[in-house]
Amino acid sequence: MSIRRTTKAARGAVAMASAVGLALVVSGCGGGGDGGARTDDKKPPARSSTPKDGGPGTPAADSSKVIGEMKGPDGIVVTLNSVVRDSGGFVTVNGTVSNHGSRAFNAIDWRSNETELRSRSSISGATLVDKAGKKRYLVLRDTNGECLCTTGLSGLMPGASRPIFAQFPAPPAKVTEVDFQLPTLPPATVQITD
């Protein structure tokens, strides 16, 4: 009987040590790349806001420059405006999603399949693919399980547009061309700029 209790206690200690180690690894990888500028660690990362009235949102930065376009079902169009590599080792994709269809759009199919993910209506399922290096890069997450991407992307009414963004780990510096992919849409090949 005492061997059984000892074994059970040892398994519990291993599980606890694994959980603590995993938490430390996740917290070390969850930096937002903002150089420590955040003063409130409980505040979620910056993301595009969802207009309460369902009207058009603010266009993405430099929305006049189009580097790629993805057309999906029901008149949904994603226009990509920039894919920028920063010195912190990240790549940020900026664009705009527009609803040219006849019914409201919800990005529920664009989220990832992770069970721990908190961001429900988001573009957390987006990926960058380095075809030459045969690598896929997933959207980064913060320590609270939120994606570093646009969230709250629901109720996009016909004729409306909203800015979107997603942040990924940067591919090696020699990689300058990647495919940006969103579930249900064809991929767009885009150039990474510095």
Side-chain angles (χ1 to χ4, degrees), residues 121-176:
S121 189
S122 67
I123 63 169
S124 60
T127 59
L128 283 184
V129 177
D130 170 12
K131 290 188 286 191
K134 298 180 181 174
K135 282 193 128 181
R136 179 179 301 267
Y137 297 90
L138 305 177
V139 175
L140 293 169
R141 306 292 190 264
D142 68 10
T143 55
N144 293 323
E146 297 284 351
C147 72
L148 298 180
C149 66
T150 301
T151 61
L153 192 54
S154 61
L156 183 63
M157 300 307 287
S161 296
R162 290 196 193 145
I164 60 171
F165 81 96
Q167 194 170 48
F168 302 88
K174 66 181 179 178
V175 176
T176 58

Side-chain angles (χ1 to χ4, degrees), residues 70 78 80 93 126-128 166 168 178-182 186-190:
M70 305 157 69
V78 174
L80 300 175
V93 177
T127 59
L128 283 184
F168 302 88
V178 291
D179 279 358
F180 178 73
Q181 298 179 341
L182 272 171
T189 302
V190 291

Side-chain angles (χ1 to χ4, degrees), residues 69 74-77 79 97-103 157-161:
E69 188 173 78
D74 299 324
I76 297 301
V77 177
T79 305
V97 59
S98 302
N99 185 349
H100 298 291
S102 58
R103 58 185 176 157
M157 300 307 287
S161 296

Side-chain angles (χ1 to χ4, degrees), residues 6-194:
T6 305
T7 303
K8 192 173 181 179
R11 273 191 256 160
V14 169
M16 179 60 86
S18 297
V20 170
L22 182 58
L24 289 172
V25 168
V26 170
S27 66
C29 295
D34 60 2
R38 268 179 49 189
T39 57
D40 180 10
D41 286 341
K42 293 181 182 177
K43 184 178 176 184
R47 55 176 80 70
S48 69
S49 61
T50 304
K52 300 283 186 215
D53 61 359
T58 308
D62 196 13
S63 61
S64 63
K65 182 178 179 185
V66 176
I67 62 169
E69 188 173 78
M70 305 157 69
K71 294 183 179 182
D74 299 324
I76 297 301
V77 177
V78 174
T79 305
L80 300 175
N81 306 113
S82 67
V83 180
V84 179
R85 181 189 319 263
D86 68 21
S87 60
F90 305 107
V91 168
T92 303
V93 177
N94 287 295
T96 304
V97 59
S98 302
N99 185 349
H100 298 291
S102 58
R103 58 185 176 157
F105 171 74
N106 295 310
I108 197 80
D109 292 331
W110 291 358
R111 68 180 179 177
S112 68
N113 292 327
E114 297 170 73
T115 57
E116 295 298 319
L117 185 67
R118 293 182 176 202
S119 309
R120 296 290 174 223
S121 189
S122 67
I123 63 169
S124 60
T127 59
L128 283 184
V129 177
D130 170 12
K131 290 188 286 191
K134 298 180 181 174
K135 282 193 128 181
R136 179 179 301 267
Y137 297 90
L138 305 177
V139 175
L140 293 169
R141 306 292 190 264
D142 68 10
T143 55
N144 293 323
E146 297 284 351
C147 72
L148 298 180
C149 66
T150 301
T151 61
L153 192 54
S154 61
L156 183 63
M157 300 307 287
S161 296
R162 290 196 193 145
I164 60 171
F165 81 96
Q167 194 170 48
F168 302 88
K174 66 181 179 178
V175 176
T176 58
E177 184 178 272
V178 291
D179 279 358
F180 178 73
Q181 298 179 341
L182 272 171
T184 74
L185 299 179
T189 302
V190 291
Q191 299 292 321
I192 299 175
T193 59
D194 292 323

